[in-house]
């Protein structure tokens, strides 16, 4: 946050008859007294720092003390067209009102009171008009928090599906390698191969001639599952295709791996019986 501009000191008013006598005997003139003169000893005290700063700077300092909220898409940030969308904004318990904003010039903020420390925003059906970058913030007392991190919401199931194939037999032994080829007949220049179980990180790659080939070396049992590919264009990165037809992959454990696993399981089982 940029530092606020330095505050100008209050203007000093020279006593009557002292014009042009700001300095005497080489010494600077005394600063003006902030308390009114009285016949008895003055009882006033210097104004509080926030009173000198002004209300705008007090609010700025309060804003700086509030933590950022967290924005959460319950079903992920790529939602199939037609399905409901649920977004949660989470903040501290003192948050009284949450604001969800789609970060575009014409968008307005939606508001929701929290349940405990978070508010839920729901959309009945995902559609292309909902795509964009979202952030949230909250009100606490007289202050407003900073905005959360911005998260992109994308829609899938709009563009035609690409084609996915495996380069080898889909039943492989642990330690072998496999390659997947994903290609599009509709000029999708960004293609992603992913697993339904989520144990293998999605692999993204620019697609020259609307095709990519992705190789996984030394696979193990976590690669067992169903793989798909999806795509989009670099001009509209938040509008995705229908998922490809699935490719099932089965990874068989080697004999050495099975023996090692059994040797580990037996002591664990005996320990359970003896406890």
């Amino acid at each position: 946050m940029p530092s606020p501009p330095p505050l100008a000191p209050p203007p000093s008013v020279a006593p009557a008859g002292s014009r042009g006598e700001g300095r005497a005997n080489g010494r600077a003139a005394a600063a003006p007294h902030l308390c009114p003169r009285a016949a008895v000893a003055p009882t006033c005290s210097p104004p509080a720092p926030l009173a000198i700063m002004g209300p705008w700077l007090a609010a700025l300092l309060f804003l700086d003390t509030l933590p950022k909220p967290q924005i959460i898409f319950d079903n992920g940030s790529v939602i199939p067209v037609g399905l409901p969308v649920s977004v949660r904004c989470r903040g501290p318990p003192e948050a009284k009102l949450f604001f969800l904003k789609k970060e575009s010039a014409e968008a307005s903020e939606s508001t929701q009171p929290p349940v405990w420390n978070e508010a839920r925003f729901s959309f009945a059906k995902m559609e292309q008009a909902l795509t964009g970058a979202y952030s949230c913030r909250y009100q606490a007392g007289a202050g407003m928090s900073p905005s959360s991190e911005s998260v992109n919401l994308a829609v899938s199931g709009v563009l035609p599906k690409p084609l996915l194939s495996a380069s080898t037999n889909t039943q492989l032994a642990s330690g072998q390698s496999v390659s997947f080829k994903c290609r599009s007949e509709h000029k999708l220049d960004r293609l992603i191969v992913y697993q339904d179980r989520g144990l293998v990180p999605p692999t993204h790659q620019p697609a020259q001639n609307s095709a990519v080939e992705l190789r996984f070396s030394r696979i193990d049992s976590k690669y067992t599952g169903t793989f798909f590919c999806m795509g989009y264009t670099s001009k509209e990165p938040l509008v995705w295709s229908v998922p490809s037809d699935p490719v099932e992959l089965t990874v068989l454990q080697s004999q050495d791996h099975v023996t090692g696993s059994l040797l580990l399981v037996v002591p664990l089982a005996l320990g359970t019986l003896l406890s």
Side-chain angles (χ1 to χ4, degrees), residues 166-239:
S167 60
T168 60
N169 190 340
T170 54
Q171 288 193 351
L172 301 168
S174 180
Q176 290 185 302
S177 63
V178 64
S179 294
F180 289 103
K181 185 172 184 179
C182 180
R183 62 184 179 87
S184 168
E185 298 177 349
H186 300 276
K187 298 183 179 179
L188 303 180
D189 58 4
R190 297 291 188 276
L191 293 170
I192 298 171
V193 175
Y194 64 98
Q195 183 200 45
D196 61 340
R197 298 169 63 198
L199 300 179
V200 180
T203 304
H204 168 278
Q205 188 170 315
Q208 296 182 355
N209 300 320
S210 299
V212 295
E213 186 166 358
L214 301 171
R215 183 174 184 271
F216 299 99
S217 59
R218 297 191 60 81
I219 59 177
D220 54 30
S221 58
K222 72 181 181 183
Y223 284 82
T224 294
T226 306
F227 285 79
F228 300 87
C229 74
M230 296 173 67
Y232 58 90
T233 67
S234 53
K235 293 181 179 179
E236 289 189 283
L238 301 181
V239 179

Side-chain angles (χ1 to χ4, degrees), residues 24-125:
N25 300 325
R27 293 178 297 172
H33 201 279
L34 294 178
C35 296
R37 297 185 182 277
V40 295
T43 58
C44 76
S45 58
L50 290 184
I52 297 177
M53 293 177 190
W56 67 270
L57 187 54
L60 187 64
L61 292 177
F62 183 68
L63 169 66
D64 195 38
T65 65
L66 293 174
K68 284 184 177 183
Q70 184 182 9
I71 184 169
I72 304 162
F73 285 89
D74 285 337
N75 299 319
S77 57
V78 181
I79 307 296
V81 64
L83 293 187
V85 182
S86 176
V87 187
R88 285 181 291 141
C89 292
R90 179 180 296 167
E94 59 266 24
K96 300 301 181 185
L97 189 64
F98 281 88
F99 301 81
L100 177 69
K101 181 179 181 181
K102 181 182 176 184
E103 297 177 4
S104 58
E106 70 278 2
S108 59
E109 289 182 316
S110 302
T111 59
Q112 282 285 3
V115 176
W116 179 234
N117 68 330
E118 67 179 29
R120 186 183 300 273
F121 298 83
S122 299
F123 303 95
K125 292 183 179 180

Side-chain angles (χ1 to χ4, degrees), residues 252-275:
L252 305 173
Q253 294 180 335
S254 65
Q255 187 62 37
D256 291 341
H257 188 138
V258 173
T259 302
S261 299
L262 290 175
L263 290 175
L264 177 63
V265 170
V266 169
L268 290 175
L270 288 175
T272 302
L273 291 174
L274 295 174
S275 61

Side-chain angles (χ1 to χ4, degrees), residues 146-170:
S147 294
S148 68
E149 300 298 328
S150 178
V151 178
N152 286 323
L153 178 63
V155 61
S156 66
V158 176
L159 304 176
K161 66 181 179 183
L163 305 173
L164 179 67
S165 60
S167 60
T168 60
N169 190 340
T170 54

